[in-house]
Amino acid sequence: MRYAKCIVIPDDEGLHPVDQQIADHPDIARELLHNVNLLADDTIVTLYQLSGDAAALESILTDSKMVRMYHLSKADDAIHAYIHVGAHDRLVGLLSMFREFEFIFDTPLEYTRRGGLRVTMIGDVGSFQQAIPDVPDGIRIKLLKTGTYEPNTDRLFSQLTDRQQEILETAVDMGYYNVPREVTHADIGDELGCTGGTVGGHLRKIEAKLLSQIVP
């Protein structure tokens, strides 16, 4: 089984007006998109993972005429939002393209620091080049790499934020998880330009997130 990993990069109008409203709010951060489905009537259902001000998010969803239904749940620092939005040509076009070429998303999809969406598509990688001309105006797709699909590693690592991935990769590279341990939180912090306490806090969150999915 093959995959193509890419970044979907929309222009300033975003992929969908509701998504862009959320992105533009200074107190809300989009972390992951656990699911996105195009329905038969061209409306779209999504499952977001966000952080920040839940009240501000609810205000956006309540006021938007494009939101048909939503449900929010909050646990610790994470907000999960099921949102059913009305049809919008740009996102409908993109999802229709993926469906036409029979790509399957490996979820969750991850938002980048610049507002793009990191996507792993599973299927006939040769179809990727054929699909490019059908990408809607206002959206670029940047291919990062292709290869043999290994679901467990990609899925777990993709659930971390960009900063968590950077800290975990640095910790592994510097020997933090070697036996015996070769560096401290402070050493990693010096490498990344932050405090040892910040590194320790991130690593605890990373370990909690990953280990909870490994242990039955």
Side-chain angles (χ1 to χ4, degrees), residues 34-186:
H34 285 279
N35 214 335
V36 54
N37 284 324
L38 179 63
L39 304 185
D41 61 356
D42 283 346
T43 61
I44 300 148
V45 290
T46 60
L47 180 61
Y48 282 89
Q49 181 177 321
L50 310 106
S51 58
D53 189 336
L57 174 63
E58 187 159 15
S59 178
I60 290 173
L61 301 179
T62 300
D63 293 343
S64 173
K65 294 180 179 179
M66 295 203 72
V67 175
R68 296 195 170 192
M69 180 193 302
Y70 71 88
H71 298 287
L72 302 182
S73 64
K74 187 170 183 180
D76 298 325
D77 296 330
I79 305 167
H80 287 84
Y82 169 90
I83 309 173
H84 182 185
V85 296
H88 181 68
D89 288 347
R90 178 173 290 186
L91 186 53
V92 169
L94 183 66
L95 294 176
S96 296
M97 181 204 77
F98 287 138
R99 184 168 62 187
E100 177 185 353
F101 288 93
E102 300 180 351
F103 294 128
I104 297 173
F105 294 131
D106 183 25
T107 56
L109 315 182
E110 179 189 358
Y111 284 95
T112 68
R113 293 180 183 177
R114 296 184 177 182
L117 196 59
R118 187 174 287 111
V119 177
T120 298
M121 298 180 296
I122 305 163
D124 179 7
V125 176
S127 298
F128 186 84
Q129 294 298 331
Q130 299 175 35
I132 293 299
D134 292 341
V135 175
D137 291 341
I139 297 176
R140 291 190 299 115
I141 294 185
K142 179 181 179 182
L143 180 63
L144 300 178
K145 64 178 179 178
T146 63
T148 301
Y149 180 62
E150 298 178 0
N152 291 336
T153 300
D154 285 350
R155 185 183 301 274
L156 291 174
F157 192 67
S158 70
Q159 292 183 40
L160 304 178
T161 66
D162 281 357
R163 183 58 168 167
Q164 288 174 335
Q165 290 179 2
E166 180 184 26
I167 288 174
L168 181 58
E169 287 178 330
T170 303
V172 171
D173 289 344
M174 293 182 67
Y176 179 77
Y177 289 103
N178 290 356
V179 180
R181 184 166 288 165
E182 297 179 5
V183 293
T184 65
H185 291 165

